[in-house]
Each structure stands twice: as C-alpha cells, then as structure tokens.
Amino acid sequence: MALGIGAFVFADSVVGAGISSYSNNITTNSALNYVEVTSVGPDSARDITEGSLAEFDGIEHVAGSSGWAQIDLAIEEPANWPTANNPGAFTGTPFISGITPKLVQGNLPAGEPGEKDILLPDMGQGQSYAQLLGKEIAFVYTKEIAPGRGEPAAITLRVAGIYDNSSPGTDGAQAAYVSGALLKSTLSNARENAKAIAYPRAYVRVDSADQVVTVQNEIRGLGYSVNSVAGQIRSLSGLFALLQLASWAIGSVLVIFCLGVGISVGGSWIKQRAREVGLLKAIGWSGGSIAGVYMVELAAVGLIIGLVGAALGTVSSLIGTAVFNGLQLELLPVAAWATPNWLLVAGALLCVPLFLCVGAVGHVARLARLDADSSLRDL
C-alpha cells in the first residue's frame, strides 16, 4: 500500500512539475508575453528609436524591450560556401528569446548568442548550413560612405547554432540571428552619417501574459501601432484548467485506491484478532475498550503506511523530476527537484488511517459484542 501511495505521489509530482514548467514558460518566455510595436501603421505617429525603447522600459510590468531591424550579411569567402552555389545574403536579425525559432543544433549556454555569435538557418537556397556549425566565418555588409554609395565591410562571427526555418515567419527564411548589441553596433557602423538608429519594429517583453493587454494599451497611448498574440486570446485559464485536471484525476484515483485497499486490509487485520478479543474479554476488558484500542492501532498502522508512502513519493519525486529535466524532453519539460503536491500527501496521510478504520469498523463492532467463551470456542 505504501508503494502504491509513493507511486501516485511520484506521478502527480512529475505531472505537476511539467504543468508548472509549461505554464511558466508559456506565460513568461513566449510570444504570448511580447507586444509588437511598429512605426508604420494606422495608429502610429512616431519613429522607434533608442529613446522609445527607454520609454517602453519605464512602463510598469515591462521586463525589457528590443529594437528590431535587419541588415544583409553575406559570406565573404566562397571557400566557406556550403556548396559551389552562392548562398546569397542572410539578413542579420536580433535574437529575441521566446520569438526566435528553436535550435536544432548547437546550444546557447547564456540563453542567447554572444556578441560574436551568429545563428544560421538549417536550410536555404537548396543547401544545408549545418556544416558551418562551430566555424568562424567572415561576413560582409554594406557600409554607407556617401549618399547612394557604399563599400563592403567585414565582420567575423562564430556559427553558434543552427535553427529550424522549415516554417519561416516574418523574419524570413534567410534570417541569421545575432545579439541585439551586435546588430546595433553593425547598423551604426553601416550608417555612420545617420543621426540615430530608427527601428521599423520593437518587441516589448511583459513580465506576465496577463498584463500584456494593459501594457499594449499604454504603448498605443504613446502614439505607436501595437499588436500582440495575447491580445488575440481571451484567456489561457481554460487551457491550464484542463491541464490541471490530470493532477485532480491522480488525486481521485489515489483516494479510490486508499479506500479499496484500506477496507480490504482493515477488515482482514481485525478478523485475525478474534483470539485476542476472547482473551481480553476473559480478563475483564469491555467491548468499548477493545473497539477503541483496535481503532487506535489501525489508525497508527495507517499513519505509518501513509508516512512511508509519502517519504517514498517525496524522494522519488525529487530524483525523478531531476532525471526528466536532464533528459530535456520536449513533450514534457519538467522542472528539476520538484517537491510533491503537499495537499495530495496530506490527503494520503488522512485517508489511509481513515479508510483502514472504516474497513474494520464492522468487524470490530461484531467482535466486541462476543463474549469470551464464544470468541475462544470458535477458534
């Protein structure tokens, strides 16, 4: 019975940790908690500059903002082309966590590319760029030296990752993601004569998806055109309520398990104590005293079973969620070292003694009514 309780607690912990991780990720680090700001649109009357980004950062619930722009980057040396065919120009694009496509190769220890890193698409122009992973490659962009005139300028970057571009978004199929600082410095160098960098778009990260619409309205009030995914969704509560049903289902099955096993074990435990009842009656114990002692004994046994099961479930939950987290399962991103649902544990500690006593109450009452001679004669 203790093993069964431990298994249910472990299962609930893994499911709960998965739901918690998924919920936290989707509401704090996904497209749902970003507001897209544009300088072109029916509601826009202002350019987006560095001053605009500082203005966005000052809004309550804003966790940060990033200017968005693109610049052409071409591989300088034909020897670095994946094939003999010219791969064409990539479009240097700022890396924005939660919006940028997922990596299929490589990793980002800091969660984003460094100032000398670049992320390339896995396919493009009929060729694969995966073979460039880990290499340092010189890219060229056009530096403006006079109105209408430019010259090539080179920058050496390390290909830190390859991302999935099988379904290109607004960034385009040839987007090459770099850090915001690198993009800003490259744009400044490319347009030295420009007074300030003007961004066609900006992305404002909100600390919670619940506050996106509020922030969106504040930015619109400043004179910008805005859009957000969260603003198009009425509520995520239905989705999370559906996911949490799994935890409730596990809790319900645990209660049914404790009820069934408790009634069976409790009844069997007491039926085997008939000889003791006869002996206690023979030395003068009353039926009520005998019933009370057996009920306390069963409650203590149930509490011990519950504690052992809770301990097994707690230890297996901590270790199991750490293992699942280490496996990096895309289907079930589990938070590591998750503790059990203490409400479920408390319910198990209450239900086991209770159901053991419920299963034994009829047998205890019947045995307590027997006289000593009858109890001993039947053995």
Side-chain angles (χ1 to χ4, degrees):
M1 190 173 185
L3 289 174
I5 293 171
F8 279 111
V9 171
F10 167 73
D12 182 74
S13 297
V14 172
V15 172
I19 292 173
S20 175
S21 178
Y22 174 72
S23 172
N24 179 68
N25 186 63
I26 199 172
T27 57
T28 63
N29 190 32
S30 73
L32 286 177
N33 65 303
Y34 277 93
V35 174
E36 182 186 77
V37 186
T38 62
S39 58
V40 179
D43 303 322
S44 181
R46 300 178 58 183
D47 290 333
I48 301 173
T49 63
E50 291 294 323
S52 304
L53 301 181
E55 195 173 17
F56 302 152
D57 289 340
I59 298 175
E60 187 177 5
H61 300 298
V62 170
S65 57
S66 305
W68 183 96
Q70 291 185 313
I71 186 170
D72 287 345
L73 296 172
I75 297 177
E76 184 176 29
E77 296 293 335
N80 289 322
W81 294 353
T83 68
N85 298 323
N86 189 334
F90 298 98
T91 48
T93 308
F95 178 92
I96 299 175
S97 179
I99 296 179
T100 305
K102 67 178 181 180
L103 290 183
V104 291
Q105 292 187 52
N107 60 75
L108 303 174
E112 61 182 8
E115 291 195 17
K116 291 296 182 180
D117 291 341
I118 190 169
L119 309 180
L120 297 182
D122 57 351
M123 295 292 295
Q125 305 294 325
Q127 51 197 302
S128 171
Y129 302 124
Q131 60 186 283
L132 303 180
L133 181 65
K135 293 184 178 180
E136 291 195 354
I137 296 177
F139 292 86
V140 292
Y141 59 92
T142 301
K143 180 178 180 178
E144 185 180 90
I145 57 175
R149 293 179 57 197
E151 64 180 14
I155 182 172
T156 300
L157 302 173
R158 183 180 70 92
V159 180
I162 303 294
Y163 73 88
D164 178 13
N165 72 329
S166 56
S167 298
T170 56
D171 294 338
Q174 287 283 101
Y177 293 99
V178 297
S179 68
L182 175 61
L183 180 73
K184 180 180 174 182
S185 64
T186 306
L187 286 172
S188 297
N189 190 51
R191 304 164 190 169
E192 288 183 340
N193 297 326
K195 293 182 179 180
I197 297 175
Y199 299 103
R201 292 207 300 265
Y203 288 94
V204 179
R205 182 176 177 178
V206 185
D207 55 22
S208 170
D210 295 334
Q211 302 296 333
V212 165
V213 174
T214 300
V215 172
Q216 181 175 297
N217 290 336
E218 288 199 39
I219 295 174
R220 182 183 288 112
L222 296 174
Y224 298 95
S225 182
V226 296
N227 185 42
S228 71
V229 176
Q232 301 169 21
I233 300 177
R234 291 184 177 273
S235 175
L236 293 173
S237 59
L239 172 62
F240 295 137
L242 181 63
L243 292 173
Q244 288 169 350
L245 281 178
S247 185
W248 281 104
I250 292 174
S252 300
V253 174
L254 176 59
V255 170
I256 295 171
F257 171 78
C258 291
L259 176 62
V261 177
I263 290 175
S264 175
V265 172
S268 300
W269 181 283
I270 292 302
K271 284 194 291 186
Q272 296 173 10
R273 315 300 290 276
R275 179 187 292 274
E276 294 179 13
V277 172
L279 293 174
L280 291 174
K281 282 289 186 73
I283 62 174
W285 281 55
S286 66
S289 298
I290 293 172
V293 168
Y294 281 162
M295 284 300 184
V296 171
E297 182 182 278
L298 276 173
V301 170
L303 184 59
I304 293 172
I305 293 173
L307 287 171
V308 172
L312 289 173
T314 300
V315 172
S316 61
S317 297
L318 291 170
I319 297 174
T321 52
V323 171
F324 277 111
N325 178 265
L327 294 175
Q328 295 291 312
L329 300 177
E330 188 173 336
L331 183 63
L332 187 66
V334 176
W337 306 108
T339 55
N341 180 346
W342 297 115
L343 184 62
L344 185 71
V345 172
L349 293 177
L350 175 66
C351 288
V352 176
L354 175 63
F355 293 149
L356 280 176
C357 292
V358 168
V361 67
H363 300 288
V364 169
R366 186 166 57 255
L367 289 177
R369 287 196 299 269
L370 294 176
D371 57 67
D373 289 341
S374 298
S375 298
L376 296 172
R377 189 180 302 116
D378 291 339
L379 299 175

